[in-house]
Amino acid sequence: MAGVLLIISGPSGVGKSTICRKLAERPDAFLSVSATTRKRRENEVDGRDYYFVTTEAFERSIAEGRCLEYAKVYGGQYYGTPIEPVLNNLEAGKIVILEIEIEGTLQVKKRFPQAVAIYILAPTAADQQRRLVGRRSEDPEALAERLSKADGEIRYAQESGAYDYFLVNHDVDETVEAIIRIVKEKQKA
Ligand code: 5GP
């Protein structure tokens, strides 16, 4: 594999899409367009934001092995990564960016252990965790419960072992730079 497979995940509203769009402006990067069965939002363009497909078509692409990974996300809708553009762009030496959730990340890591997976955190959630941990007023169990309730998804991401890095998105440009540094290290390795 000549290129670098880069997975970006994070809770909604954390700025993932903006980060991915900025990364994709690089000539050496390719942003994967996922397929989904969910309804297209008004501001979305088919083929740019997603390939909006029927459940039948999606299930056919699973059966034919055309998905690198897929998951049922919100409301039981399918989301998945078409495999062909990913492989072609990796062969061309590109940084191939996948903006996908945790289940999909686990599948990709199984298939491509050398993929780099980054979980983006919002400063507010991080602040909240830091505050809770720093307060030292809770016993470990109560603290764990608070953290899990406050941010179950983040805990799951941490416990899944799928992610190589957790980055707090204080500033989009800084986060993008940090990601590029991580990718460059990977390319050197
Ligand atoms: P939204 O419906 O808001 O566009 O996306 C919902 C969630 O689906 C996000 O967490 C996003 O990361 C995830 N997602 C988007 N595309 C894919 C995909 O191809 N595979 C997987 N596993 N998750 C995806």
Side-chain angles (χ1 to χ4, degrees):
M1 182 157 85
V4 174
L5 191 50
L6 173 66
I7 301 168
I8 304 289
S9 304
S12 61
V14 78
K16 271 174 302 179
S17 302
T18 314
I19 291 166
C20 288
R21 238 180 290 126
K22 286 227 168 183
L23 284 167
E25 284 170 8
R26 297 175 57 93
D28 59 350
F30 167 77
L31 179 58
S32 161
V33 178
S34 297
T36 183
T37 56
R38 88 142 157 76
K39 279 220 161 69
R40 187 178 65 81
R41 297 179 191 136
E42 228 170 66
N43 58 340
E44 289 177 326
V45 176
D46 187 31
R48 183 193 71 185
D49 299 287
Y50 284 104
Y51 296 106
F52 295 95
V53 301
T54 62
T55 303
E56 260 179 17
F58 199 104
E59 289 179 344
R60 207 179 317 123
S61 71
I62 296 171
E64 291 173 358
R66 286 188 274 120
C67 289
L68 168 60
E69 59 73 35
Y70 69 93
K72 272 195 171 174
V73 191
Y74 305 119
Q77 299 298 328
Y78 281 117
Y79 291 79
T81 304
I83 193 164
E84 207 184 312
V86 169
L87 296 181
N88 290 344
N89 281 282
L90 282 177
E91 250 169 53
K94 297 263 171 122
I95 303 164
V96 176
I97 307 155
L98 311 183
E99 187 195 331
I100 61 176
E101 49 69 77
I102 303 174
E103 299 303 331
T105 304
L106 287 165
Q107 293 171 41
V108 175
K109 279 288 220 170
K110 232 184 226 168
R111 217 157 153 174
F112 294 100
Q114 65 274 53
V116 182
I118 300 177
Y119 197 90
I120 308 291
L121 297 162
T124 48
D127 285 347
Q128 185 189 19
Q129 287 207 11
R130 192 156 38 79
R131 269 203 318 272
L132 271 172
V133 175
R135 215 160 57 183
R136 294 181 199 282
S137 54
E138 263 89 20
D139 63 47
E141 254 171 40
L143 181 64
E145 191 191 352
R146 272 171 184 267
L147 285 175
S148 75
K149 282 212 178 126
D151 244 321
E153 202 185 307
I154 294 169
R155 270 188 79 80
Y156 180 40
Q158 286 167 339
E159 286 166 3
S160 72
Y163 293 94
D164 303 291
Y165 298 91
F166 288 81
L167 294 184
V168 179
N169 185 28
H170 291 289
D171 173 272
V172 173
D173 291 326
E174 277 174 22
T175 305
V176 168
E177 274 173 31
I179 293 170
I180 292 301
R181 277 199 298 275
I182 290 168
V183 170
K184 291 254 162 82
E185 280 304 309
K186 188 77 185 174
Q187 282 170 328
K188 268 194 255 162

